[in-house]
Amino acid sequence: MFNRSKSDAPTVADANEAARAQAEEIASGKGHATPSRKDREAANRRPLVPADRKAARVADRDRARTDRERQQAGMAAGDERYLPVRDKGPQKKFARDFVDARWSVGEFLIPVVVVLLLVTFLPFPAATKNTISSYVLIVVWGFFLLTVIDCLVMGGLLAKRLREKYGTVERGVRWYASMRAIQLRPLRMPKPQVKRGQQPS
């Protein structure tokens, strides 16, 4: 009852069919049996310690330098993929372009302060040196006040443009713009992407 019938037993014709199918598979281009899982794992296994440690260190150092140069170039170009969190976002991008397109009082703050401090070290007579130091202090504080006023005005104009473009102003974007405005233009990072007078898009 439960025994297989003679018709279910493998025949010579079935064996010939299987052999022909295998031959066709080999002829079709595979040419080898499917590797076992054990064979695949052995092929993918790599030694923890490379045979040539010095060459491996050199290769790792070159790869790290290449990655670092690519990141620096991407950051300088303003590529979002390479920017730190503080520089990311469309509003930060707009703020950078807005600052870089205008002349700011703050970008001259550091050079002016350095020059005035150097003046105080010149060998003037004592009375003259005291007078010069007083004037230098007044000029520095006056320039600092102008920088603050310029940043406040710029922040107001930037906020207006951001509301027109995005409908809202992201928190901290005006402070972000002010900090960029007091940096020398060649030292800004990401590098300026617009020319003076060019309106940001």
Side-chain angles (χ1 to χ4, degrees), residues 18-197:
R20 186 167 53 252
Q22 184 176 6
E24 290 177 354
E25 183 180 8
I26 294 175
S28 65
K30 186 173 181 182
H32 58 82
T34 302
S36 65
R37 178 179 178 182
K38 183 178 179 181
D39 294 336
R40 291 197 304 269
E41 290 178 350
N44 292 332
R45 191 177 297 118
R46 294 180 177 84
L48 294 177
V49 179
D52 191 343
R53 297 186 181 184
K54 184 176 181 181
R57 283 197 301 269
V58 171
D60 290 341
R61 189 163 54 245
D62 291 342
R63 184 165 53 252
R65 184 176 63 250
T66 301
D67 292 342
R68 188 165 54 250
E69 290 173 352
R70 183 172 63 251
Q71 291 173 359
Q72 290 176 348
M75 183 177 177
D79 191 331
E80 286 279 330
R81 295 173 297 173
Y82 301 103
L83 294 180
V85 176
R86 67 180 178 84
D87 293 314
K88 287 187 175 181
Q91 292 204 20
K92 297 289 182 65
K93 169 74 166 59
F94 187 92
R96 290 196 298 271
D97 291 345
F98 186 86
V99 171
D100 297 336
R102 66 192 298 272
W103 290 93
S104 300
V105 177
E107 61 187 295
F108 301 104
L109 177 62
I110 294 177
V112 168
V113 170
V114 170
V115 169
L116 292 176
L117 287 177
L118 290 176
V119 169
T120 61
F121 286 104
L122 294 177
F124 293 111
T128 305
K129 191 166 187 176
N130 291 336
T131 303
I132 291 176
S133 297
S134 299
Y135 283 127
V136 165
L137 188 62
I138 292 172
V139 172
V140 168
W141 278 107
F143 208 88
F144 181 77
L145 181 61
L146 288 175
T147 300
V148 172
I149 293 173
D150 182 61
C151 287
L152 290 174
V153 173
M154 180 202 63
L157 295 174
L158 174 61
K160 181 181 178 182
R161 292 287 303 276
L162 289 174
R163 288 192 187 96
E164 292 173 354
K165 186 175 179 64
Y166 299 102
T168 183
V169 179
E170 186 179 303
R171 183 178 180 182
V173 71
R174 282 180 286 190
W175 177 258
Y176 175 79
S178 297
M179 291 300 97
R180 188 173 179 85
I182 64 175
Q183 296 175 349
L184 293 171
R185 184 181 173 90
L187 301 181
R188 292 172 183 171
M189 189 65 69
K191 295 293 185 182
Q193 303 297 311
V194 297
K195 297 179 180 180
R196 301 273 194 186

